[in-house]
Amino acid sequence: MQKFYKIITYGCQMNVHESEKLAGILTRLDYMPTEDEALADVIVFNTCCIRENAEQHALGNLGALKYLKAKKPSLIIALGGCMIQQDNVAKEVKKSYPFVDILFGTHNLEDFGVLLKKRLETGKKVVEIVGDKPKICENVVPFRTSYPNAWVNIMQGCNNFCTYCIVPYVRGREKSRSMQAIYSEVQKLVLLGYKEITLLGQNVNSYGKDLNDGTNFAKLIDFLQEVRGEFRLRFMTNHPKDLTEELVIAIANNKNCCHAIHLPVQAGSDEILKKMNRRYTSKDYLDKVAIIKKHLPDCAITTDIMVGFPGETEQDFLDTLNLVKKVGFASAFTFVYSPRKGTIAAEMPNQIDEAVKKDRIMRLVDLCNEQTRQFSATYLNKEITILCEDYDKKRDLYLGRDQYGRMGYFKSQENLIGEFVTIKVNSATGISLYGDIVEE
Ligand code: 5AD
Ligand code: SF4
């Protein structure tokens, strides 16, 4: 009888791609995907712990599965990902969610098939969460779900220990894949017809340092010029302290590289940046922006910004607003700081009041939305090339992004998913552009 699985993913692109690896493992074991929880034989939660709300969300949804398990005892519920890598959470799950069958961490994802078999054969709960040594797994074939886009992990882990961030604790130290392995994966994907490849790492700018053979991210970008075929190359995420001019030049020289850089700034106050252990000042950040603009004048710069870090004064917050004004971001992800157990910032004095955080995030979002609108407005009446990636059934519109990351919507009688399409933009609302196909 056909067996089915459902994977529920929380968090970042990295997690979405790891879920594709889990799906690859389940596919090899002859499971088929389903959206219907009642039909599923295996439900996997791939969790994220970077912010508190992602964690609460996952636990809430997990709790709701208790009744399903009671109705269908053969259902296997697995919980994995970086949330489980935290000791206190693993303990809490074991105690309060006894119906969970398999608990696994971030470092043994590729063993999921073995853990599942063990659970099925023994009928006993399987808990395998291994330390902080990321493994580079080269033998799992992901079941990709986002054609024409494909993600390629180039490294695992992070060495930075920003004081607010849980990632280095749950994902361990940086470990890079070889340039050759990355090149082969990208080339295969392009031959298979994928049109946009996004290289993934917590800090792609420090790619290769651990290989100790002179490899660096700029060299990888250069090397990937050899890949044959028509495709776009993106990468995320960058760290301002490690972004080099050599890299920006490599991006400018690579015909496939999108002129879009996600460069998280986090804060505009030097005092707060120091407390965050970001290891750059607001001037350093602006200098990096200037380097980008020098070689890539049209580059869309996007960012992550946080408000309410411990000790953040009104003046610190105004410094953040000022920096945002100076740079003019194409778009920004904005976050309210949430203390993560085990991080240095969680123990800092002067945690900020929720009402103050709320007020600041609203003011920041207003400014960022305005910048997003301004950037979109520059597109009016222009022709842009977008990679058609989806169809919005409700609106009967196809959609896709241009190289700068802006989403464009258009009408078409033909299915154009996977094609590069030129549209003329006739309206821009916030982050979305609307246009008509330009006939060649
Ligand atoms: N609280 C709020 N936001 C956080 N981020 C990371 N840790 C926290 C935290 N404890 C944000 C940062 C990062 C993005 C992925 O998530 O802005 O760049
Ligand atoms: Fe977290 Fe900083 Fe590493 Fe990014 S660079 S994952 S924010 S510790």
Side-chain angles (χ1 to χ4, degrees):
M1 207 166 69
Q2 182 60 57
K3 298 171 289 180
F4 293 93
Y5 73 85
K6 175 169 180 174
I7 301 177
I8 303 165
T9 310
Y10 300 86
C12 59
Q13 224 63 281
M14 188 87 81
N15 266 22
V16 174
H17 183 45
E18 281 170 358
S19 288
E20 291 183 333
K21 292 184 185 167
L22 287 167
I25 293 169
L26 285 158
T27 305
R28 284 193 73 166
L29 295 172
D30 292 331
Y31 285 81
M32 288 259 286
T34 178
E35 279 307 303
D36 183 359
E37 282 170 6
L39 189 64
D41 299 284
V42 177
I43 300 181
V44 190
F45 281 70
N46 186 13
T47 63
C48 165
C49 61
I50 196 153
R51 286 175 298 274
E52 198 181 354
N53 46 10
E55 201 166 283
Q56 291 312 326
H57 195 187
L59 289 176
N61 289 349
L62 179 67
L65 285 190
K66 193 176 168 182
Y67 81 96
L68 248 189
K69 178 83 179 173
K71 270 209 296 203
K72 183 177 170 182
S74 65
L75 168 68
I76 305 282
I77 299 178
L79 191 60
C82 61
M83 187 175 118
I84 302 309
Q85 207 74 42
Q86 307 168 97
D87 284 348
N88 58 320
V89 178
K91 274 193 199 121
E92 155 85 12
V93 170
K94 273 189 250 170
K95 198 174 103 207
S96 310
Y97 301 83
F99 54 90
V100 174
D101 300 282
I102 303 172
L103 277 178
F104 63 105
T106 47
H107 307 314
N108 57 343
L109 183 131
E110 74 272 31
D111 299 332
F112 183 71
V114 178
L115 305 184
L116 177 60
K117 272 194 196 144
K118 198 163 159 186
R119 170 64 184 79
L120 289 169
E121 279 165 18
T122 65
K124 290 198 184 119
K125 194 188 203 63
V126 175
V127 179
E128 279 190 31
I129 304 160
V130 289
D132 74 345
K133 292 253 177 327
K135 271 195 268 175
I136 293 294
C137 93
E138 296 289 359
N139 49 12
V140 171
V141 180
F143 180 79
R144 297 183 183 270
T145 49
S146 57
Y147 175 84
N149 304 328
W151 292 295
V152 172
N153 256 131
I154 63 165
M155 61 199 294
Q156 300 283 349
C158 178
N159 289 356
N160 286 308
F161 290 95
C162 301
T163 55
Y164 52 80
C165 187
I166 191 80
V167 168
Y169 301 94
V170 291
R171 288 195 173 262
R173 298 297 72 72
E174 286 168 8
K175 203 158 169 46
S176 303
R177 290 176 74 192
S178 72
M179 290 223 291
Q180 191 56 49
I182 297 165
Y183 172 88
S184 303
E185 186 172 353
V186 174
Q187 181 64 82
K188 270 188 222 151
L189 289 166
V190 175
L191 285 173
L192 282 169
Y194 286 89
K195 299 284 168 53
E196 185 170 294
I197 309 292
T198 305
L199 308 177
L200 290 178
Q202 303 293 347
N203 172 13
V204 292
N205 307 128
S206 61
Y207 165 77
K209 283 186 185 163
D210 57 304
L211 298 173
N212 292 316
D213 61 358
T215 303
N216 67 25
F217 190 52
K219 287 188 179 140
L220 177 66
I221 293 290
D222 275 339
F223 187 46
L224 292 178
Q225 299 228 53
E226 305 295 320
V227 173
R228 282 165 294 122
E230 187 191 23
F231 74 105
R232 274 182 187 164
L233 187 63
R234 295 186 192 277
F235 50 86
M236 63 190 293
T237 251
N238 298 276
H239 194 305
K241 79 174 160 61
D242 297 317
L243 182 120
T244 60
E245 185 157 17
E246 182 197 6
L247 171 64
V248 181
I249 293 170
I251 297 168
N253 288 338
N254 185 320
K255 64 178 189 321
N256 296 318
C257 235
C258 292
H259 291 185
I261 298 184
H262 187 68
L263 194 62
V265 65
Q266 311 299 356
S269 147
D270 291 344
E271 191 64 27
I272 296 295
L273 286 169
K274 197 160 173 212
K275 284 190 190 158
M276 287 178 165
N277 191 31
R278 291 291 288 176
R279 287 176 277 172
Y280 54 83
T281 61
S282 56
K283 179 176 178 306
D284 297 334
Y285 186 88
L286 292 170
D287 288 347
K288 296 286 164 122
V289 169
I291 291 172
I292 295 172
K293 295 279 174 194
K294 180 171 139 202
H295 299 285
L296 297 167
D298 62 333
C299 190
I301 302 176
T302 53
T303 200
D304 292 346
I305 315 169
M306 204 187 296
V307 300
F309 187 80
E312 184 188 66
T313 62
E314 175 64 15
Q315 186 54 51
D316 291 324
F317 173 66
L318 291 176
D319 289 349
T320 296
L321 292 184
N322 265 332
L323 186 127
V324 172
K325 283 179 197 154
K326 276 188 196 151
V327 178
F329 291 106
S331 68
F333 293 108
T334 53
F335 303 102
V336 172
Y337 165 74
S338 64
R340 308 281 50 218
K341 207 173 156 73
T343 61
I344 293 170
E347 305 302 323
M348 284 181 181
N350 305 322
Q351 299 283 330
I352 305 296
D353 204 70
E354 289 306 317
V356 174
K357 284 184 184 168
K358 204 169 164 196
D359 170 66
R360 289 183 186 159
I361 192 79
M362 284 183 344
R363 286 151 71 198
L364 177 65
V365 166
D366 277 349
L367 174 62
C368 293
N369 284 348
E370 182 49 35
Q371 293 195 339
T372 302
R373 272 193 295 274
Q374 278 173 12
F375 187 78
S376 292
T378 62
Y379 277 89
L380 276 176
N381 299 319
K382 281 198 187 139
E383 286 186 10
I384 57 168
T385 302
I386 60 181
L387 171 60
C388 182
E389 60 183 47
D390 211 348
Y391 169 64
D392 181 337
K393 206 170 165 189
K394 260 199 209 139
R395 290 194 273 180
D396 185 25
L397 292 172
Y398 283 88
L399 56 132
R401 281 172 303 153
D402 76 343
Q403 69 153 325
Y404 307 108
R406 270 293 185 276
M407 193 66 88
Y409 291 80
F410 62 98
K411 237 188 162 54
S412 165
Q413 299 310 322
E414 235 185 302
N415 177 355
L416 292 174
I417 294 175
E419 307 278 331
F420 289 102
V421 181
T422 304
I423 64 167
K424 184 165 182 193
V425 178
N426 50 38
S427 95
T429 55
I431 199 134
S432 307
L433 310 172
Y434 297 86
D436 297 314
I437 298 187
V438 177
E439 302 295 343
E440 309 256 303

